[in-house]
Amino acid sequence: MISYLKGLLVSKSITANGCYIIVDVNNIGYGVFVNKKTFRELPETKTEVCIYTNLIHKEDTMILCGFLSAQERETFCVLQTVSGIGMKAALLILELPLKDIVSAVISEDEKVICKIKGIGPKLAKRLILELKDKMMKLKDELDIEIQEGNLSKENFAIISVGFNEAQAVLNSLGYTKNEINIGLEAAKNKVKDKNDTQEILQTALAVISGS
């Protein structure tokens, strides 16, 4: 597997198949497909670049897709695990800021995902359903910080896996959205470990039962 290419950016072009660059590494020219966001952020030609790559095998060819960060490459691979999301769709999705993608999936914000060309409501729902748990892990693994101000008052999943699990338990116990919101809002300010589901749940239940 080619993990990354570090060399001279020889050319940048927009073709019928998308944005395409050539990187010269030790006198070997590697052709790489990138999305428009990466294309715009690349320096001028004849400049040294480092492109993180993912090699895609097809029946009759091999394609390199490139990114300016290892985080984007990781997200690209995760996106392609969803049925209906191929190379082109994943590249399009990654034209959004990475934290916006992770935030939208975790908080189940279909509107953000549907802004992407070619992604309709059905595919957006499937993407959220299949990737929510993976995005929670990805958020922690890649150390992606998401402002709590972006959090819906009815969805605390974005804070941590612990809050996501506690919210699911409270939902299953039949508490109202308002009660859950009150309990988890209090827990957010009281618990020491935001990944300790048991502590979050106990704190929330104590507040709910006392309200």
Side-chain angles (χ1 to χ4, degrees):
M1 178 181 175
I2 302 173
S3 183
Y4 67 88
L5 300 172
K6 189 173 184 181
L8 197 67
L9 180 60
V10 175
S11 67
K12 303 190 310 184
S13 58
I14 299 176
T15 71
N17 293 319
C19 299
Y20 189 74
I21 66 172
I22 296 177
V23 181
D24 182 328
V25 182
N26 295 327
N27 296 318
I28 299 175
Y30 291 87
V32 184
F33 282 97
V34 299
N35 61 21
K36 290 180 181 177
K37 175 177 174 288
T38 299
F39 191 84
R40 288 192 300 266
E41 292 175 356
L42 283 166
E44 296 299 319
T45 55
K46 309 304 178 186
T47 303
E48 187 175 89
V49 293
C50 182
I51 303 292
Y52 294 88
T53 57
N54 179 251
L55 182 62
I56 297 174
H57 289 265
K58 293 197 173 183
E59 291 181 2
D60 57 350
T61 187
M62 290 188 292
I63 300 171
L64 274 176
C65 291
F67 312 90
L68 290 177
S69 73
Q71 292 181 340
E72 288 186 329
R73 181 187 60 194
E74 180 70 16
T75 307
F76 175 76
C77 294
V78 170
L79 287 169
Q80 287 189 97
T81 64
V82 177
S83 175
I85 301 290
M87 179 193 86
K88 290 184 178 179
L91 285 173
L92 276 172
I93 292 169
L94 280 164
E95 290 182 4
L96 291 175
L98 190 55
K99 71 174 185 178
D100 288 359
I101 298 169
V102 176
S103 174
V105 173
I106 292 173
S107 59
E108 301 182 15
D109 192 342
E110 292 177 27
K111 291 181 180 178
V112 171
I113 298 169
C114 285
K115 288 179 181 178
I116 301 159
K117 184 180 179 181
I119 306 292
K122 282 188 178 180
L123 187 52
K125 286 179 181 178
R126 188 189 309 150
L127 192 150
I128 288 169
L129 180 65
E130 294 186 21
L131 291 191
K132 188 169 181 179
D133 289 342
K134 290 182 180 179
M135 286 296 183
M136 287 295 300
K137 292 177 182 177
L138 197 63
K139 169 183 172 288
D140 294 333
E141 287 174 8
L142 302 181
D143 196 25
I144 298 172
E145 292 186 7
I146 303 171
Q147 294 297 320
E148 290 184 16
N150 295 332
L151 179 65
S152 162
K153 287 191 174 182
E154 294 179 1
N155 194 326
F156 287 78
I158 205 170
I159 297 176
S160 70
V161 174
F163 269 84
N164 186 37
E165 292 175 349
Q167 185 177 23
V169 172
L170 292 170
N171 274 316
S172 69
L173 292 174
Y175 289 105
T176 66
K177 288 182 179 180
N178 187 53
E179 288 172 327
I180 294 171
N181 179 53
I182 291 171
L184 292 181
E185 190 67 37
K188 186 177 71 175
N189 298 319
K190 291 183 179 181
V191 298
K192 294 180 179 178
D193 184 355
K194 286 184 168 57
N195 283 308
D196 189 332
T197 304
Q198 193 64 30
E199 183 186 4
I200 295 164
L201 197 55
Q202 288 177 349
T203 304
L205 284 169
V207 172
I208 293 170
S209 61
S211 59

